[in-house]
Amino acid sequence: MTNPCPPQSVAELMQRAHEMAGLTLGQLANLHNIPVPNNLKRDKGWIGQLIEHELGAIAGSKPEQDFLHLGIELKTIPVDANGKPMETTYVTVAPLIDIQGLRWQDSVVYHKLQRVLWIPVEGDRSIAVADRHIGTPILWTPSQQEFEMIRQDWEEIMELIALGKVEQITARHGEVLQLRPKGASSRSVTLSIAQDGQNKLTNPRGFYLKIAFTHQILCKHLK
């Protein structure tokens, strides 16, 4: 397996991303001698890892931007034949304890979404994984209005968590950002705040961007 170096500049990162556009996942995997899975049931994160590898991302699963030295987060997004995202976009694990005094501008969501490199990839399950094409990259900096919408949702969700109401938060909460269970299985548990202020066990949660919001981002940049 080859090990590409991290890009030294935004221009270098974007050049790599544009050179990758139009290739199939199979072609890209072959360049690095990486085997392609037949399906993604057991390899859910495989596409993201392949793209990270090609672009030289170094954060892995750390709670920081993928290209910390450039201030850019990388998001691979599966799209249908019309270019519409097929699933919500995972941002980061939600903190469920020790959140007193946590401010929006100190949150991982705030830092991760400062600037995002979106890589659309064909996601139609009828297309073999190796034959799915990589799309045109989009470098997105949220507008003030977009960031305001994310902040509002984050603050409302965090307030419910602080009040011990994590179990009552559904995917319908939030205009653009939602909270959903995030764990290897329903047996995964972590500590959260109970309504009496003590700690209790619950499933881990993650913050996700809703499909309608990411679809808007893609449409705006690919006109």
Side-chain angles (χ1 to χ4, degrees):
M1 189 196 285
T2 58
N3 271 322
C5 299
Q8 296 307 300
S9 65
V10 176
E12 187 187 338
L13 172 62
M14 293 310 293
Q15 186 185 345
R16 285 192 202 178
H18 278 288
E19 284 172 357
M20 189 173 65
L23 293 179
T24 64
L25 295 173
Q27 287 170 324
L28 188 60
N30 287 341
L31 289 174
H32 300 289
N33 297 317
I34 295 172
V36 182
N38 291 328
N39 62 60
L40 301 173
K41 281 196 185 96
R42 288 193 182 157
D43 299 280
K44 198 164 168 14
W46 183 83
I47 296 176
Q49 287 159 9
L50 175 67
I51 306 273
E52 281 175 11
H53 184 78
E54 165 67 14
L55 295 177
I58 44 181
S61 56
K62 289 187 209 149
E64 58 188 36
Q65 292 159 321
D66 293 294
F67 301 97
L68 189 60
H69 60 303
L70 302 177
I72 293 173
E73 173 75 354
L74 174 65
K75 289 291 173 205
T76 304
I77 187 162
V79 295
D80 65 16
N82 299 314
K84 184 181 179 185
M86 295 174 68
E87 56 189 48
T88 54
T89 300
Y90 172 65
V91 181
T92 187
V93 170
L96 301 181
I97 56 167
D98 301 331
I99 55 176
Q100 201 175 354
L102 177 63
R103 299 176 309 161
W104 160 241
Q105 56 267 43
D106 300 322
S107 71
V108 178
V109 173
Y110 174 83
H111 287 289
K112 285 234 181 198
L113 298 181
Q114 290 286 318
R115 211 167 182 203
V116 179
L117 173 58
W118 297 96
I119 306 286
V121 177
E122 285 180 324
D124 192 327
R125 288 187 184 87
S126 66
I127 306 170
V129 176
D131 296 335
R132 296 181 192 177
H133 287 87
I134 299 162
T136 306
I138 293 165
L139 188 58
W140 171 67
T141 304
S143 66
Q144 203 175 341
Q145 185 191 3
E146 286 168 330
F147 234 158
E148 192 53 32
M149 289 164 80
I150 299 167
R151 180 189 69 80
Q152 226 169 335
D153 287 345
W154 180 87
E155 287 182 346
E156 283 173 19
I157 290 167
M158 290 307 298
E159 192 177 340
L160 291 169
I161 292 172
L163 292 170
K165 296 182 175 177
V166 69
E167 310 288 354
Q168 292 163 41
I169 304 171
T170 71
R172 287 192 296 278
H173 280 94
E175 288 287 309
V176 297
L177 188 73
Q178 63 181 197
L179 192 75
R180 293 223 323 267
K182 170 74 179 169
S185 74
S186 57
R187 291 193 297 276
S188 304
V189 289
T190 188
L191 287 175
S192 70
I193 300 166
Q195 283 188 296
D196 61 2
Q198 301 298 309
N199 287 343
K200 63 170 183 174
L201 288 174
T202 189
N203 299 123
R205 301 296 201 281
F207 281 112
Y208 293 77
L209 291 175
K210 292 190 171 185
I211 289 174
F213 184 62
T214 54
H215 190 208
Q216 263 180 340
I217 295 167
L218 299 189
C219 287
K220 206 158 58 177
H221 287 78
L222 292 176
K223 273 179 185 167

